[in-house]
Amino acid sequence: MIEAELKARVREPEKVEAGLEGRATARVEVYRDTYFDLPDGSLMDSDRELRVRTVSGPDGNRSVLTYKEARVDAASGAKPEYETRVEDPDAVHAMLRGLGYAPVIEFEKHCQNYEFEAAGRRILATLVRVPEIDGTFIEVETLVTEDELRAALDAVRDVLAQLGIGQEDLTTEQYTDAVAARRRS
C-alpha cells in the first residue's frame, strides 16, 4: 500500500482542532521514533526509511516496525509503506543492530489522531507537535494502491481545504531533517 499523505504547517491550531473534533474524537498519543540506517547512510540517501515506533496512549503501549520505499510522487512525498506490529521493540533494535543498521535519530511526536471517512475513504488526520520543532503540523493520509494515488491525494487536499489549510501551508520537510537541523544549531 502507498501512504497518500500531505503534511502542512498549521497557522490556527485551535480552529483546525475544532474542525477535526467535529468529525471524530481525538486519540492522544506520544510516538517515540527511532530511525535506522546503514553506516554509509545509503538507506536515507536513497529516500528510504526504516523505523521502530513505540506509541504510548490511553490504551497502553504498542510498537511497530516500518519500512518505507522511495517516493512515488515527488509533490506529496507519497511512499509505499510496509508495517508490522512488534511485541518487543528492544529485541527489534538488537536485531537491526546485529544486521548492521545503526540508530541515526530518535525523537518524540505528540499527536492527536482523528479517524473518519471522507470522499468514501478512510482518513487519518493527525495534529502533530514535535517538542524540538516550533509550531504545529497536520498530516492527513489514507492508504491506497498506486493507481488510486491521484484521487486519494485529491480527497486529502479537500479535507485540508475544509480545515482552512491552504496549498501555501503544505510542506514535504521531514521531521527527521528538522530535528537534526535543530540539534546542529
Side-chain angles (χ1 to χ4, degrees):
M1 298 299 282
I2 295 173
E3 186 179 64
E5 175 183 14
L6 293 172
K7 179 170 73 172
R9 286 195 168 269
V10 177
R11 296 173 196 248
E12 298 180 68
E14 296 80 15
K15 179 181 172 190
V16 172
E17 185 175 349
L20 289 168
E21 290 289 341
R23 295 171 179 255
T25 301
R27 188 177 68 248
V28 178
E29 298 174 318
V30 175
Y31 297 177
R32 288 178 185 79
D33 290 349
T34 303
Y35 286 81
F36 288 83
D37 203 344
L38 293 167
D40 65 0
S42 60
L43 200 61
M44 288 185 174
D45 286 348
S46 60
D47 195 33
R48 297 176 294 154
E49 300 173 34
L50 182 60
R51 176 186 71 212
V52 177
R53 169 176 284 168
T54 297
V55 179
S56 301
D59 298 330
N61 295 335
R62 68 184 186 284
S63 296
V64 292
L65 173 66
T66 305
Y67 168 68
K68 294 185 182 187
E69 292 181 4
R71 298 168 211 226
V72 295
D73 181 72
S76 68
K79 296 180 171 194
E81 178 178 308
Y82 307 91
E83 190 167 80
T84 189
R85 194 167 185 158
V86 298
E87 290 298 316
D88 185 347
D90 292 333
V92 173
H93 281 242
M95 288 178 213
L96 292 173
R97 283 188 187 99
L99 291 169
Y101 292 92
V104 292
I105 193 161
E106 298 176 78
F107 60 92
E108 281 189 2
K109 291 170 55 175
H110 296 239
C111 300
Q112 291 172 241
N113 294 299
Y114 300 85
E115 294 185 61
F116 52 90
E117 193 168 304
R121 299 182 184 281
R122 194 84 200 131
I123 300 288
L124 173 62
T126 305
L127 281 177
V128 177
R129 290 175 187 86
V130 177
E132 295 179 73
I133 305 171
D134 294 332
T136 300
F137 297 85
I138 187 169
E139 303 169 5
V140 178
E141 67 184 70
T142 187
L143 293 176
V144 297
T145 60
E146 193 164 355
D147 61 320
E148 298 174 295
L149 183 58
R150 291 282 170 229
L153 287 171
D154 287 344
V156 166
R157 280 185 188 88
D158 287 345
V159 168
L160 287 167
Q162 291 165 16
L163 295 169
I165 304 293
Q167 191 73 20
E168 69 281 2
D169 298 317
L170 296 179
T171 181
T172 57
E173 181 180 29
Q174 296 185 359
Y175 300 117
T176 52
D177 295 338
V179 169
R182 176 60 66 103
R183 289 179 184 173
R184 284 191 301 269
S185 63

